[in-house]
Amino acid sequence: MTPFTLTLIKLAFLAVLWLFVIAAVGVIRADLFGSKAATKAANRASQPPRPAKASNQPKPRAQQPPRSAQHGHPTKLVVVQGERAGTVIDLTGVPITIGRANDATLVVTDDYASSRHARLYAQDGQWIVEDLGSTNGTYLGRTKVSRPMPVPPGVPVRIGKTVIELRK
């Protein structure tokens, strides 16, 4: 090969190496400080809703909280293992975010948890767990959560070293 070709190959390799380093730093930054999309969504959620303009479109339905405990549905989230063991959160139908970020509903100080790790929300009378793109994953029982999944009462949800359950 000519010296010119070897120089081009070296420069291309160097460019690919730098792209990898930049991508790795971006992933670490997003894990430590949260992504821009998550920050924007949190800011939108904290702002009061704007008054709706008159239109012919139907109004969106408010999210219904799960049915009451007398129908056998869970009423509380309990941390059963980890640094926050014993913590109890009442289930009111409001989504619950779990992670290391200070604005999470359940803040866990676990090295294996992401800043915005998972979310629990009510839908059609049951609670759903959703992994928010965490590094180490969220587990429902022994199953890794790869899509939103319903959480039966008493089944452990593991986020790093923290284990939570829904209880009646």
Side-chain angles (χ1 to χ4, degrees):
M1 281 195 225
T2 66
F4 180 71
T5 306
L6 285 174
T7 303
L8 284 178
I9 291 172
K10 288 178 186 177
L11 289 174
F13 178 72
L14 188 61
V16 170
L17 185 62
W18 273 107
L19 287 174
F20 174 75
V21 168
I22 290 169
V25 168
V27 168
I28 291 169
R29 183 194 154 282
D31 191 41
L32 290 175
F33 303 112
S35 67
K36 289 180 183 177
T39 304
K40 287 180 183 177
N43 289 341
R44 276 195 301 263
S46 66
Q47 293 175 350
R50 289 189 251 166
K53 295 178 182 178
S55 68
N56 294 340
Q57 296 178 355
K59 293 181 180 178
R61 294 187 330 182
Q63 188 169 0
Q64 297 293 323
R67 291 179 216 138
S68 66
Q70 62 187 346
H71 292 100
H73 294 281
T75 59
K76 58 188 171 183
L77 178 142
V78 180
V79 180
V80 295
Q81 190 175 348
E83 287 187 21
R84 304 291 300 250
T87 302
V88 177
I89 298 174
D90 290 328
L91 300 176
T92 60
V94 177
I96 298 170
T97 55
I98 305 165
R100 289 193 332 244
N102 291 331
D103 62 346
T105 310
L106 177 61
V107 178
V108 292
T109 55
D110 188 338
D111 291 337
Y112 298 102
S114 299
S115 55
R116 286 169 183 79
H117 195 100
R119 178 172 68 125
L120 280 164
Y121 58 93
Q123 183 178 37
D124 300 327
Q126 60 185 350
W127 284 90
I128 308 293
V129 64
E130 176 183 20
D131 186 85
L132 299 176
S134 66
T135 305
N136 295 313
T138 302
Y139 291 86
L140 178 61
R142 292 181 157 224
T143 307
K144 187 170 185 175
V145 176
S146 57
R147 58 180 170 72
M149 299 174 71
V151 182
V155 175
V157 177
R158 186 168 53 87
I159 296 169
K161 295 179 182 177
T162 303
V163 178
I164 60 174
E165 288 182 4
L166 298 181
R167 295 192 178 161
K168 297 176 186 176

